[in-house]
Amino acid sequence: MSAGRESIPMIVDEFDRPAPERIDLLRGVNPNDLGHERHFGHSSPAIRYMETAASASIVGPALPVRIPPEDGTMVHKAVELARPGDVLVIDAGGHTTNAPWGDVTTRAAIENGVVAAVIDGAVTDTADVAALDFPVFARARSTRTAR
C-alpha cells in the first residue's frame, strides 16, 4: 500500500440507509420524475424487468455488490448482509453468460427481507423465481450459473 492511501475494504457491512419515512414517500414517485429531478440519469435500457413478480414496482435502499463475471460468491455475502426492505443491486459488468442470481439466492434473499434484485448481468431459474413472486431486473436470462 502506498503511503498516504487508505485501504479500501472489500466488504462494507454497514452503511447509512434512508429513514423508513423517506422510503414511504418515494413509493408514490414515478422513477422517471425522480431521475429528471435528481439529474442522476437512469439505468441502462438493456436492464429490463424479467416478469418474475406480479408487480415491477420496487422501492428500498440499494445494497450494491460488484462481482467478477463468473464468481457469485459476494452475492451470497450481500444477501447475508441485507436488511428487510433492501434492494440488491449486482454489478456483474454486463456479463450475460453466467447468472449470479436464481432460485437459491432468491429464497435466501426473501428470508432476509430483500424486496428485489437488479442485475447488470444475467438471471437463471426465472420460472422458479416467478413462483416466489420476487421482482428481478436483469440484462438477460441464462441457463449457466456463476460459481
Side-chain angles (χ1 to χ4, degrees), residues 4 14 16 18 27 55-56 76 85 89 111 130 142:
E14 283 295 322
D16 292 333
R27 290 186 200 288
S55 173
H76 298 283
V89 179
E111 184 70 25
S142 176

Side-chain angles (χ1 to χ4, degrees), residues 46-141:
I47 297 173
R48 62 192 190 283
Y49 180 54
M50 293 284 118
E51 306 293 333
T52 56
S55 173
S57 177
I58 60 170
V59 176
L63 175 58
V65 58
R66 179 177 291 157
I67 62 169
E70 297 176 354
D71 185 352
T73 304
M74 294 309 287
V75 172
H76 298 283
K77 183 63 176 177
V79 169
E80 177 186 314
L81 294 173
R83 292 188 184 165
D86 283 353
V87 175
L88 286 182
V89 179
I90 302 165
D91 178 359
H95 180 79
T96 59
T97 302
N98 299 82
W101 194 268
D103 179 57
V104 172
T105 46
T106 299
R107 290 177 185 278
I110 290 170
E111 184 70 25
N112 282 359
V114 173
V115 297
V118 178
I119 308 154
D120 187 6
V123 61
T124 192
D125 306 327
T126 52
D128 296 325
V129 174
L132 298 169
D133 196 35
F134 187 84
V136 174
F137 296 77
R139 280 188 182 266
R141 291 177 174 84

